[in-house]
């Protein structure tokens, strides 16, 4: 069993209204040192061994379902599940 | 300027209906090797230097606004912003 951690972030050129709202709230709360907030997704997948290459499978899943590659970037890490 | 990466995950004991839905879709698409999906948040904060301790400030922000500590866990990493 492998554990795959997928990090999905908005592309640099894409506005992040949710991040802007959080930044505004943090300023209101007194955290003026916060210059920028960007919000993305973090996915943890548990994947059973199969005869397919894990990296290829994860890349396919990311591009077909887990991310919107028009506006999002992603990267992933594979580790042994405990 | 520091870049802080915050990873927010649902606690183990909390059901993740969004993750279950994604897992169901992946199975329908033929990725039967996916045993579990958990979905969390990933935040990137840019923080300007201040006279407060960065780790203390980030912990406060996480506990007051960024996460719901009843149902979520978080961890964060600090690195130099480019």
């Amino acid at each position: 069993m492998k554990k795959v951690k997928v990090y999905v972030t908005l592309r640099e050129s894409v506005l992040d209204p949710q991040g802007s709202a959080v930044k505004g709230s943090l300023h209101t709360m007194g955290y003026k040192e916060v210059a920028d907030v960007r919000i993305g997704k973090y996915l943890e997948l548990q994947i059973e061994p199969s005869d397919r290459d894990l990296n290829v499978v994860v890349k396919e899943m990311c591009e077909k379902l887990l991310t919107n590659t028009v506006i999002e970037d992603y990267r992933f890490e594979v580790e042994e599940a405990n």
Side-chain angles (χ1 to χ4, degrees), chain A:
Chain A
M1 187 85 100
K2 301 279 187 183
K3 182 176 186 174
V4 179
K5 297 176 173 181
V6 183
Y7 308 90
V8 183
T9 48
L10 281 173
R11 283 174 184 262
E12 293 257 341
S13 57
V14 177
L15 286 176
D16 180 1
Q18 192 187 2
S20 302
V22 168
K23 181 182 145 191
S25 298
L26 289 170
H27 280 199
T28 306
M29 292 164 71
Y31 300 107
K32 303 287 186 199
E33 56 266 67
V34 177
D36 194 37
V37 179
R38 304 279 288 176
I39 299 184
K41 278 182 296 182
Y42 168 64
L43 295 94
E44 283 182 359
L45 311 178
Q46 304 282 340
I47 303 197
E48 281 166 10
S50 77
D51 51 0
R52 294 195 274 192
D53 183 274
L54 182 62
N55 285 290
V56 172
V57 168
V58 173
K59 191 164 183 292
E60 266 185 32
M61 292 193 297
C62 285
E63 306 209 338
K64 288 186 184 169
L65 182 76
L66 303 177
T67 75
N68 176 349
T69 54
V70 177
I71 58 167
E72 292 171 333
D73 288 322
Y74 68 91
R75 64 191 163 81
F76 63 87
E77 292 162 6
V78 177
E79 55 188 53
E80 282 300 326
N82 336 326

